[in-house]
Amino acid sequence: MLNIQINGVDVQVKHGTAIIDAAAESGIVIPRFCYHKKLSTVASCRMCLVEVEKMPKAMPACATPVAEGMKIHTKSPKALNAQRGVLEFLLINHPLDCPVCDQGGDCPLQEASLGFGGGVSHYDFDKRVLHNPDFGPLVATDMMRCILCTRCIRFSREIAGVDDISTAGRGENIRIASQTGHPLTSELSGNLIDLCPVGALTSKPARFTGRPWEYQHRSALGPHDSFGSHLQLDVRGTKVMRVVARECEEINETWLSDRDRFSYQGLYSADRLTTPRIREKGIWREVDWSTALEFVANGLQQVRKTHGAPALGALVAPTATLEESYLIQKLIRTAGSPHIDHRLRQRDFSDQAHDPVFPWLGGAITALEQKTAFLVVGSYLRKEHPLVNHRLRKAVLRGAHAMFLDAVDRAYNYPTSVSMVVPPSAWERSLLAVAKAAHAITGRAIPTGLDALWESIECEAIHRTTAEHLVNAASAVLLLGNVAHAHPRFGALRNLANAVAELTGASVGYLPEGAGTVGAWLTGCVPHRGPGGKTVTVGQDWHTMVTGGVKGLLILGAELERDCADPSAALKGLHQAAFVVSLSPWVSPAQEAYAHALLPIAPYAETSGTYLNLEGRWQSFQGVVAPLGETRPAWKVLRVLGNLMDLSGFDYFSSDQVLAEAREAIGEVTPNNAMPCVVPAAISSETPALERFGEVPPYAQDALVRRASALQATPDGRVPIAARMHSATLAGCGLIEGAQVSVRQGEGVVRLPIIVDDRVAKGCVFVPSASVETAALGPVVGGAVTVVAV
Amino acid sequence: MTAKPEIASPAVGEVVLSAAVREEIDHWVAKYPPEHKQSALMAALRIAQEDNGGWLSQGHLNAVAEYLQVAPTLVTEVATFYSMYELAPVGRHKICVCTNISCMLRGSEEIMAHLTDRLGVDPGQTTPDGRFTLKTVECLGACVGAPMMQVGRTYHEHLTPERVDRILDSLE
């Protein structure tokens, strides 16, 4: 510790601290533009000049480390004079158009001008004029306002890891320019809006719609991935106007993914369901809540009477809050049915007895940065879990080995050590080869039966390298992503991952898909586990349910035509069900076709609830705006439904009561992924000539983000609905790029154009899932397909 | 100083640096520690520019970036920052007139007026016959001979309009 004096007060600070941070620790604010604690220090704006005794000139507080005995004055005439001078220069070319600027009222430059600037400028010449580069549908540019702090450039290079903007020119002509003319492509690009200390980069979707002083700032949580990012929703009246990041060092630091930042637009899409609807004799009509709920309760009771209680079932989207998950499983189980599931994008349940009590990351989010090697199985991590990827990127920049097992060779924003690009049917063999190679290095005990499996497996150099990196790492982890969960042999894959972990000394982590996934697991929204993982009568998984297992279905928040791993089977089953109730904030044509009642429930921002993130952290949030129209929070709807069905224990006054009960039911749970490796009897012998690979495109994950128009306009939102194939695969089929083909998978056929993409594994046909155009096809990952020219 | 043109088009042709260019760049790379290849960037840009008849396309910038293993945006920053790099084709003779303080006090404005008049182009432009490109630059370190201009690699000092005429007449 060093002894220094700031503004006459003696303080102790750590060696190496910059003056700007030392002052902040004492509650002294020094104005700054270019300095940001998460970015490199460049000291280019000079706004933070302070007086340091015995130094001849004012010093930039951001780039001057403290020294023993240093005496600093941040408010002395010398400091203030320097700051005033800097500000006058910064404002020379600034248009001072605060009245029409979106940043006005929320602008560090405006605040600094008021607090530290002079009232008059000596400059009375022409101001420079700049063209505004196109930064895409998310970020609006107004470069006349730019003060060239370069935070945006440093963010892009240092955090987003992309090389797309830079300065161009020099002196009076220097400006921020897009390198290629292409819009920003990073999944984190919205952070530029938060970072820009002036109005040069603002939110395009929120542009000209409101002023910061009209907004109430309310807290929320990221509603998409399981990261649990802290959001600040800026609310005016009953509307969410924009979303900015709320700082939380342990989770999202100061960042947000674009998905969390811009998806709020979906709250106000034209197809929002705002009134309950029921379908009688094929005719939809809007009704009031009591009619709708009675209709639903009667319908469900009717099914129960006719087919017995186990003919009821419920499907829950992974976006449901913990309270909603808890209530719906309670409703179904109290009604006498064991059929409840939320694992809608999972296909293989054969190994579910060995599921951990809830699949989690396996440690704290911050610990990801300390990993020295990681192997991601089946995930486009960068887009699926952007901030997990960001943490791991930090690890890679410190020297960690990044390894991937995937069916597409992805563009990551850091160097990858190993990229195993093979069709899904070969993933088991790849993991087995890594396990075999690991055993050759470590000689650890072989899980029973594994050697028989790997006997015929050849270890290639890539497998040996992977095993070496995992074995040599001080801290290594295997991460199972969304596509791994959708794999037709997820159980075997998971066990082989466990085997690799055992043989290399790595740990296994799961990347739960949605914000509500962990909560759904813990509250027992799975057919084989009750709340807290307790043993229950085992019910049917979602696939068995929809393919004829149940007659009356409650669907909470999911659009099954897109939100499941086998939409064609789901749709077929739903049309045959006797009674389908969809609780959804939106209405889709498919829902209108298969549902008998549509109940408008409140999406995030309009309801209170709790999400558990991938590290098992409980985080509750409040509704920040009134539900739109007749929309009601789902927990209230489920409560009334429980009462109308004469089920006991559905008298709640608040979601807090539901939470308290759920907490008690769950009890103390210690997460543990280290399940024993149950060696599969055999590995998949299926090697189709052509097989389907159909991950969920980045902005098609759930109903909310699919309706966020600005995100949909980005390159990640415009993933072409086409069959993408490696040029070698294409040549093997005798097809050419651009041709229209019919892709057949099982009984489903769709017509698609062909795109050549050499990043796709040979033998794979990449057809995106979660799209109505491809819903007719079978299971989204794996499975033989044929491609024929039309 | 005149503004540099925006880089023309994002659709760039692939540029392959010739063996001779690469060899010359290697000579500069060898002057720095191996992990600081970036230090040879300015020399590399100069070499590529000379090889390409006096200007650099986006393809050249990308090729240099790839060869030195630095981010393409960084190369853009350097290439747009320094006035000696040209991002659009130039004439056979590049005339750089210093307009900085010493030259200005010694009459560079008159020299510029004479040049624009005689060549019929504004600063930053090339004569239609492709003979001359005229541009203004900041101090070239020849204040003792102000006003001055640089034509190609040659400094011409103590300029007068008549002297400028004689210089231009002597060039092809």
Side-chain angles (χ1 to χ4, degrees):
Chain A
M1 297 299 258
L2 298 173
N3 299 299
I4 60 164
Q5 203 184 68
I6 306 180
N7 293 352
V9 181
D10 290 319
V11 289
Q12 284 202 322
V13 293
K14 265 204 297 214
H15 188 86
T17 314
I19 292 175
I20 204 165
D21 292 329
E25 283 172 25
S26 311
I28 296 165
V29 176
I30 299 172
R32 82 283 304 268
F33 299 118
C34 69
Y35 177 74
H36 190 280
K37 61 183 174 185
K38 294 282 175 190
L39 304 175
S40 60
T41 304
V42 289
S44 69
C45 75
R46 317 304 285 184
M47 190 62 226
C48 64
L49 291 177
V50 293
E51 181 182 354
V52 179
E53 280 185 20
K54 294 182 189 162
M55 287 194 175
K57 291 187 194 174
M59 300 300 288
C62 66
T64 312
V66 289
E68 180 63 34
M70 202 179 237
K71 289 188 173 137
I72 300 152
H73 303 279
T74 71
K75 298 281 180 199
S76 67
K78 188 173 173 184
L80 290 179
N81 204 23
Q83 291 166 359
R84 192 161 52 243
V86 165
L87 207 47
E88 189 175 343
F89 273 110
L90 286 175
L91 289 174
I92 277 182
N93 279 308
H94 190 81
L96 294 170
D97 58 346
C98 310
V100 298
C101 175
D102 268 13
Q103 191 90 344
D106 192 13
C107 175
L109 182 62
Q110 209 177 23
E111 281 157 22
S113 299
L114 189 68
F116 302 91
V120 183
S121 172
H122 295 87
Y123 184 81
D124 60 356
F125 307 97
D126 289 345
K127 295 193 181 217
R128 67 182 190 155
V129 177
L130 292 175
H131 293 293
N132 295 325
D134 178 9
F135 276 9
L138 303 179
V139 180
T141 58
D142 196 323
M143 289 307 173
M144 289 287 288
R145 297 177 185 145
C146 176
I147 57 165
L148 295 157
C149 69
T150 68
R151 274 188 187 182
C152 53
I153 294 176
R154 283 176 284 143
F155 172 81
S156 295
R157 290 180 186 169
E158 295 164 15
I159 307 294
V162 292
D163 186 44
D164 53 2
I165 52 176
S166 64
T167 61
R170 152 194 199 174
E172 195 188 30
N173 296 301
I174 191 169
R175 64 214 173 266
I176 306 294
S178 147
Q179 157 82 357
T180 55
H182 296 311
L184 307 182
T185 51
S186 167
E187 60 288 347
L188 303 175
S189 64
N191 291 300
L192 297 182
I193 298 163
D194 286 353
L195 282 172
C196 183
V198 300
L201 304 176
T202 52
S203 165
K204 210 177 241 184
R207 205 172 198 208
F208 302 143
T209 55
R211 311 311 313 263
W213 57 84
E214 303 170 329
Y215 298 151
Q216 287 179 291
H217 308 306
R218 311 295 297 273
S219 302
L221 294 173
H224 302 289
D225 54 33
S226 51
F227 204 70
S229 294
H230 286 203
L231 273 53
Q232 174 186 310
L233 304 193
D234 284 353
V235 172
R236 187 179 64 197
T238 56
K239 209 171 168 199
V240 177
M241 302 302 290
R242 64 171 187 182
V243 174
V244 296
R246 204 151 46 92
E247 189 174 342
C248 178
E249 190 56 32
E250 297 82 40
I251 303 176
N252 54 312
E253 300 166 73
T254 56
W255 315 125
L256 278 191
S257 64
D258 288 357
R259 194 167 54 192
D260 284 344
R261 185 184 299 270
F262 295 106
S263 68
Y264 72 92
Q265 279 191 304
L267 296 174
Y268 307 107
S269 73
D271 57 355
R272 219 11 234 279
L273 182 66
T274 52
T275 321
R277 290 194 213 173
I278 59 173
R279 183 165 61 137
E280 284 174 310
K281 300 192 180 93
I283 310 285
W284 280 105
R285 60 188 180 97
E286 297 191 342
V287 292
D288 58 26
W289 268 104
S290 55
T291 315
L293 286 166
E294 263 172 47
F295 177 80
V296 169
N298 286 341
L300 294 174
Q301 294 289 39
Q302 194 63 39
V303 171
R304 206 168 156 204
K305 238 181 265 167
T306 323
H307 305 281
L312 294 178
L315 303 177
V316 185
T319 47
T321 64
L322 177 115
E323 290 82 351
E324 292 164 6
S325 296
Y326 176 74
L327 276 187
I328 196 163
Q329 66 82 28
K330 182 174 172 185
L331 183 90
I332 285 295
R333 290 197 167 114
T334 316
S337 168
H339 309 316
I340 170 96
D341 206 353
H342 79 279
R343 303 163 297 174
L344 304 181
R345 291 214 170 97
Q346 191 173 326
R347 279 278 289 129
D348 175 26
F349 307 99
S350 56
D351 188 46
Q352 65 180 13
H354 299 110
D355 281 332
V357 60
F358 70 94
W360 72 312
L361 186 63
I365 287 170
T366 46
L368 288 174
E369 293 177 19
Q370 313 305 328
K371 298 292 171 202
T372 47
F374 58 90
L375 171 61
V376 179
V377 180
S379 172
Y380 189 6
L381 193 65
R382 191 176 166 185
K383 306 290 176 179
E384 273 176 18
H385 300 279
L387 290 175
V388 172
N389 189 60
H390 160 66
R391 293 279 188 171
L392 288 173
R393 179 173 182 272
K394 289 199 219 175
V396 175
L397 296 185
R398 289 196 188 119
H401 289 290
M403 296 173 283
F404 295 89
L405 174 56
D406 203 337
V408 182
D409 189 11
R410 317 284 188 173
Y412 277 95
N413 49 356
Y414 43 79
T416 53
S417 299
V418 168
S419 189
M420 292 180 270
V421 182
V422 288
S425 64
W427 290 5
E428 287 168 77
R429 287 198 295 280
S430 298
L431 284 180
L432 208 47
V434 173
K436 188 176 180 181
H439 173 70
I441 303 169
T442 61
R444 291 190 194 210
I446 303 169
T448 322
L450 201 67
D451 41 354
L453 276 188
W454 75 35
E455 204 170 14
S456 62
I457 299 279
E458 289 282 330
C459 286
E460 292 165 29
I462 197 166
H463 305 128
R464 280 191 290 272
T465 314
T466 309
E468 267 166 34
H469 289 328
L470 288 173
V471 169
N472 295 336
S475 170
V477 65
L478 279 84
L479 293 168
L480 296 167
N482 295 5
V483 186
H485 285 81
H487 195 277
R489 289 183 44 87
F490 169 65
L493 209 57
R494 193 240 314 261
N495 277 312
L496 292 172
N498 283 339
V500 172
E502 273 186 43
L503 288 165
T504 57
S507 60
V508 172
Y510 292 82
L511 298 168
E513 180 192 351
T517 302
V518 174
W521 271 99
L522 265 185
T523 51
C525 258
V526 280
H528 58 301
R529 302 267 174 81
K534 296 187 181 71
T535 316
V536 288
T537 319
V538 178
Q540 294 169 354
D541 61 73
W542 74 270
H543 196 262
T544 318
M545 268 191 253
V546 294
T547 49
V550 300
K551 301 290 175 205
L553 255 181
L554 270 176
I555 304 173
L556 178 67
E559 297 174 319
L560 280 199
E561 68 276 18
R562 292 168 157 220
D563 289 332
C564 74
D566 191 353
S568 66
L571 286 176
K572 211 169 133 194
L574 285 170
H575 285 295
Q576 286 161 1
F579 193 67
V580 178
V581 183
S582 187
L583 288 79
S584 167
W586 298 275
V587 57
S588 66
Q591 279 174 313
E592 283 181 325
Y594 62 67
H596 298 87
L598 285 162
L599 304 181
I601 56 160
Y604 107 107
E606 296 179 9
T607 184
S608 56
T610 303
Y611 281 144
L612 270 74
N613 78 349
L614 43 65
E615 45 178 4
R617 188 189 292 254
W618 294 64
Q619 303 189 102
S620 291
F621 54 91
Q622 296 298 315
V624 305
V625 287
L628 200 65
E630 291 295 305
T631 301
R632 293 287 176 268
W635 70 267
K636 286 189 181 175
V637 177
L638 292 167
R639 174 193 65 182
V640 178
L641 213 50
N643 287 327
L644 285 175
M645 290 172 74
D646 293 327
L647 306 174
S648 60
F650 280 87
D651 304 312
Y652 303 102
F653 296 105
S654 69
S655 67
D656 288 345
Q657 272 184 314
V658 185
L659 176 62
E661 191 183 306
R663 251 187 201 281
E664 207 181 306
I666 291 166
E668 278 299 311
V669 171
T670 315
N672 182 13
N673 284 344
M675 304 306 281
C677 164
V678 184
V679 174
I683 57 164
S684 168
S685 54
E686 241 183 278
T687 42
L690 280 181
E691 66 185 277
R692 167 92 188 274
F693 183 74
E695 67 174 12
V696 179
Y699 297 143
Q701 185 198 355
D702 57 54
L704 177 64
V705 71
R706 286 195 291 263
R707 289 169 170 82
S709 49
L711 287 175
Q712 294 307 322
T714 63
D716 280 337
R718 287 183 282 115
V719 171
I721 302 300
R724 276 196 272 169
M725 294 159 81
H726 192 280
S727 49
T729 319
L730 205 61
C733 303
L735 296 166
I736 50 160
E737 169 148 41
Q740 283 284 328
V741 293
S742 75
V743 178
R744 174 183 290 275
Q745 183 184 4
E747 291 166 17
V749 183
V750 292
R751 257 182 86 146
L752 297 168
I754 284 213
I755 295 179
V756 174
D757 186 348
D758 284 352
R759 288 179 164 274
V760 178
K762 286 174 195 165
C764 260
V765 184
F766 184 155
V767 180
S769 65
S771 115
V772 254
E773 289 92 336
T774 64
L777 294 175
V780 298
V781 177
V785 291
T786 55
V787 180
V788 186
V790 289
Chain B
M1 193 178 114
T2 45
K4 285 205 165 193
E6 293 283 345
I7 292 166
S9 155
V12 288
E14 191 100 338
V15 169
V16 180
L17 300 177
S18 71
V21 167
R22 277 181 278 140
E23 193 181 326
E24 207 179 334
I25 294 176
D26 289 342
H27 168 73
W28 283 86
V29 169
K31 291 175 189 261
Y32 306 102
E35 68 274 21
H36 290 297
K37 280 175 112 174
Q38 181 182 330
S39 303
L41 177 55
M42 289 188 67
L45 286 174
R46 175 181 56 76
I47 294 160
Q49 172 163 300
E50 280 168 11
D51 182 63
N52 189 46
W55 73 288
L56 294 160
S57 69
Q58 180 71 56
H60 285 86
L61 301 186
N62 292 351
V64 168
E66 200 186 325
Y67 193 66
L68 295 181
Q69 292 166 321
V70 297
T73 53
L74 197 105
V75 179
T76 309
E77 286 182 346
V78 171
T80 56
F81 184 89
Y82 291 102
S83 58
M84 66 274 204
Y85 301 121
E86 301 297 331
L87 302 173
V90 290
R92 268 202 306 288
H93 305 287
K94 185 164 81 176
I95 304 170
C96 302
V97 183
C98 172
T99 54
N100 211 301
I101 182 83
S102 304
C103 289
M104 187 190 78
L105 292 173
R106 298 283 298 153
S108 65
E109 282 169 354
E110 190 193 347
I111 302 297
M112 265 318 283
H114 180 70
L115 277 163
T116 51
D117 202 38
R118 172 174 165 147
L119 299 176
V121 292
D122 283 332
Q125 293 179 338
T126 303
T127 53
D129 59 5
R131 215 171 139 210
F132 296 109
T133 295
L134 179 63
K135 64 189 289 187
T136 58
V137 295
E138 301 305 331
C139 186
L140 293 176
C143 305
V144 68
M148 67 79 68
M149 67 180 184
Q150 181 186 8
V151 181
R153 290 182 168 191
T154 316
Y155 276 23
H156 300 277
E157 300 177 357
H158 304 294
L159 297 177
T160 60
E162 297 73 38
R163 201 167 139 68
V164 168
D165 280 341
R166 279 204 302 280
I167 295 164
L168 295 196
D169 289 341
S170 71
L171 297 167
E172 274 177 47

